Amino acid sequence: MDRDGTEPEAPLEGPGQAPEAAGRIFGDRLPLAVRYTELLATAGVQRGLIGPREVPRLWDRHVLNCAVLAELLPAEVSLCDVGSGAGLPGIPVALARPDVSVTLLEPLLRRTTFLEEVVRELGLENVTVLRGRAEEMVGKLGVDVVTARAVAPLDRLAGWGMPLLRPYGQMLALKGDTAEQELVESRAALTRLGAVKWSVIGVGEGVLVTPTRVVRVEAGESPGGVKAATRRARAARAGRGGKGGEGAGRRGGSRGRR
């Protein structure tokens, strides 16, 4: 009992040893995946990127759950992980597929700082960290695959992610139990954004106890309404700049607080 008469909280468990499935997914890069999981459990928790109660289930619920997206990727594609946060799913995918070029796109400074430290420590030559929002990257960044996890409802996510796709690219969104309902509600938006096919699929079957549920949206020849999205992004940037010093000061100040 503590001096104030309260019972001390029991220490939370660590991430534990890597499960057998991790070896099957990461192969000879398993030591890097182990180190990444350790960083999530320590620095990730300390900086508020991972909840402390998630630590005991980091492997199953987070790292492996994301890494199996690698099953859906063709060889040597480029990928942008929108709203990457602590690097999920981008870093597990990059570890499982060193042939894939991964961009971790994240607007918050404290998160990009963590991501840069992880990439540097793990020596991930196939990963780039980019600070910014998806709508700011339209016309600047084009990739074959966009991924996202717990970022936004599907229709809003598609509005951010589809304009970043090259022709015939795909967006992969981890969605869990809400996948089918979100897909039904987002069909009009997906069609407007240039999607030609969409489905809910399970990945990691035979590897994970519970397969990962993914919404896969496949783009046509002109995904995302790129020209219109580019105009909107330019107008938004011009509008912010047109407010002069006061607007610029607010933007800079908000970044400083992140």
Side-chain angles (χ1 to χ4, degrees), residues 36-117:
Y36 173 55
T37 306
E38 292 171 349
L39 291 170
L40 289 176
T42 52
V45 171
Q46 293 161 8
R47 301 185 192 186
L49 306 183
I50 294 290
R53 298 193 180 278
E54 292 301 306
V55 172
R57 48 191 180 185
L58 276 174
W59 279 110
D60 293 335
R61 187 170 179 175
H62 298 281
V63 176
L64 299 184
N65 178 267
C66 291
V68 292
L69 279 182
E71 297 178 13
L72 303 177
L73 304 179
E76 299 182 356
V77 294
S78 59
L79 180 152
C80 179
D81 186 27
V82 172
S84 192
L88 299 164
I91 289 180
V93 170
L95 288 168
R97 290 287 302 274
D99 64 303
V100 173
S101 176
V102 175
T103 297
L104 306 178
L105 181 61
E106 168 56 48
L108 297 185
L109 178 59
R110 64 186 175 89
R111 295 176 181 172
T112 55
T113 298
F114 172 78
L115 294 173
E116 289 168 349
E117 292 171 359

Side-chain angles (χ1 to χ4, degrees), residues 20-258:
E20 180 183 351
R24 297 168 62 183
I25 293 171
F26 294 113
D28 60 2
R29 288 163 72 86
L30 177 59
L32 297 179
V34 169
R35 181 57 184 148
Y36 173 55
T37 306
E38 292 171 349
L39 291 170
L40 289 176
T42 52
V45 171
Q46 293 161 8
R47 301 185 192 186
L49 306 183
I50 294 290
R53 298 193 180 278
E54 292 301 306
V55 172
R57 48 191 180 185
L58 276 174
W59 279 110
D60 293 335
R61 187 170 179 175
H62 298 281
V63 176
L64 299 184
N65 178 267
C66 291
V68 292
L69 279 182
E71 297 178 13
L72 303 177
L73 304 179
E76 299 182 356
V77 294
S78 59
L79 180 152
C80 179
D81 186 27
V82 172
S84 192
L88 299 164
I91 289 180
V93 170
L95 288 168
R97 290 287 302 274
D99 64 303
V100 173
S101 176
V102 175
T103 297
L104 306 178
L105 181 61
E106 168 56 48
L108 297 185
L109 178 59
R110 64 186 175 89
R111 295 176 181 172
T112 55
T113 298
F114 172 78
L115 294 173
E116 289 168 349
E117 292 171 359
V118 170
V119 169
R120 184 165 55 249
E121 178 162 342
L122 300 185
L124 298 179
E125 296 182 356
N126 61 323
V127 179
T128 299
V129 178
L130 183 60
R131 185 182 175 199
R133 302 181 184 278
E135 57 267 35
E136 298 170 342
M137 297 297 120
V138 177
K140 300 178 182 178
L141 178 67
V143 294
D144 303 305
V145 180
V146 165
T147 59
R149 181 178 189 248
V151 172
L154 183 60
D155 56 349
R156 196 187 314 165
L157 174 61
W160 297 335
M162 294 289 288
L164 302 181
L165 288 176
R166 293 171 179 160
Y168 309 108
Q170 61 177 333
M171 185 178 73
L172 304 174
L174 284 74
K175 280 294 179 181
D177 294 338
T178 67
E180 284 85 358
Q181 184 61 34
E182 287 198 49
L183 197 52
V184 169
E185 296 172 352
S186 303
R187 286 179 178 176
L190 294 176
T191 300
R192 185 173 63 252
L193 288 164
V196 296
K197 186 177 180 182
W198 46 80
S199 58
V200 178
I201 55 178
V203 290
E205 294 184 9
V207 179
L208 303 182
V209 175
T210 303
T212 300
R213 291 166 61 78
V214 180
V215 174
R216 176 162 62 183
V217 179
E218 300 177 48
E221 184 175 356
S222 181
V226 172
K227 292 182 179 179
T230 302
R231 288 196 298 270
R232 288 196 299 271
R234 287 174 178 169
R237 290 195 293 270
R240 288 195 297 267
K243 293 181 181 179
E246 182 182 355
R250 284 199 301 269
R251 187 179 181 192
S254 65
R255 286 194 172 188
R257 289 191 297 270
R258 289 171 180 169

